[in-house]
Amino acid sequence: MRFIRTFILSILVFSSVMVTGQEVDWYINNALEVSYLSQPSLEWKVMRQHISRTSNIQHIYFRQLFDGVPIRGTESSLHISSSGNVLSESIQFVTDISELKTKKQWGVITPHDALETVITVLGYHPTNKFQLMEAFDQKENRAVFNKAGVSERNIPVVMVYVQHNNQSYSLVWEVTILELDYQRLMTYQ
């Protein structure tokens, strides 16, 4: 009886092996090729992935990047069966990235200046000076500041591209504040 339980447990463990690394890249590249996206459009970052315990389907969620910066609204997904078949996909990538300018072309303000601007415009009154808790990370395009008496948790300031109604893009800083009364988690650009 113990042998049967061990055997069944082994099957369960090995039947939910996650597609990783180069295999994920391969699946995403194939999905993007099918969507007729050009090479300059093919920069992405996997945001999260997991295997469902009930269906044994692997879910991969990723976002398009340009010049290493995330593009809001390009959140995409792939759903892969345990046998490796793509069950569904949703690709939301920008097909024409010629409108996007690189970070160097924008003359970007600092994360601290972006935070101070948001705080001033919203009329918040910090009880402490903003201090850098995590220095600007070039790979993640973000910095994290202390609560300074305006947020219940440290304040991330993240560089992203956002799309406007006229289909143009801007490089902005997103500032996320959890208000002191825990009523609202606000993200400002």
Side-chain angles (χ1 to χ4, degrees):
M1 186 65 145
R2 181 175 177 186
F3 171 76
I4 294 173
R5 276 189 290 207
T6 304
F7 180 72
I8 292 172
L9 181 60
S10 297
I11 290 173
L12 291 173
V13 168
F14 290 111
S15 67
S16 60
V17 173
M18 184 179 287
V19 174
T20 59
Q22 291 178 338
E23 292 174 306
V24 169
D25 291 346
W26 182 85
Y27 278 105
I28 293 174
N29 273 323
N30 279 352
L32 296 174
E33 274 182 29
V34 170
S35 300
Y36 304 106
L37 290 169
S38 64
Q39 272 306 92
S41 302
L42 299 183
E43 187 181 354
W44 70 85
K45 179 180 178 182
V46 173
M47 305 308 290
R48 66 184 190 283
Q49 59 182 329
H50 74 278
I51 295 176
S52 167
R53 289 182 184 157
T54 55
S55 65
N56 212 23
I57 294 172
Q58 181 172 358
H59 305 280
I60 303 170
Y61 301 94
F62 54 101
R63 176 183 294 142
Q64 185 178 15
L65 309 174
F66 177 71
D67 195 26
V69 178
I71 305 172
R72 288 285 180 245
T74 62
E75 293 75 18
S76 301
S77 63
L78 285 174
H79 308 280
I80 303 169
S81 72
S82 59
S83 62
N85 295 321
V86 175
L87 300 173
S88 69
E89 63 185 49
S90 174
I91 308 296
Q92 304 299 319
F93 277 29
V94 176
T95 54
D96 181 12
I97 60 170
S98 63
E99 294 293 317
L100 280 75
K101 297 178 184 176
T102 64
K103 290 184 274 191
K104 294 174 186 138
Q105 295 171 306
W106 277 100
V108 177
I109 66 172
T110 68
H112 185 269
D113 291 343
L115 175 57
E116 289 284 351
T117 300
V118 166
I119 294 302
T120 301
V121 168
L122 296 174
Y124 287 119
H125 302 288
T127 56
N128 303 312
K129 288 189 174 200
F130 287 107
Q131 295 177 350
L132 195 58
M133 303 303 286
E134 294 177 31
F136 183 73
D137 180 340
Q138 291 284 353
K139 187 176 178 185
E140 296 296 322
N141 291 295
R142 68 176 259 168
V144 179
F145 293 87
N146 65 328
K147 304 170 192 178
V150 297
S151 181
E152 284 292 337
R153 62 181 183 204
N154 288 339
I155 303 170
V157 181
V158 182
M159 183 185 294
V160 297
Y161 285 98
V162 295
Q163 185 177 22
H164 303 288
N165 290 339
N166 63 358
Q167 303 299 311
S168 66
Y169 292 85
S170 292
L171 186 60
V172 302
W173 289 105
E174 278 188 346
V175 178
T176 303
I177 298 171
L178 178 58
E179 292 185 337
L180 294 175
D181 59 7
Y182 283 97
Q183 295 300 311
R184 294 184 295 186
L185 176 66
M186 305 299 291
T187 300
Y188 304 97
Q189 299 171 340

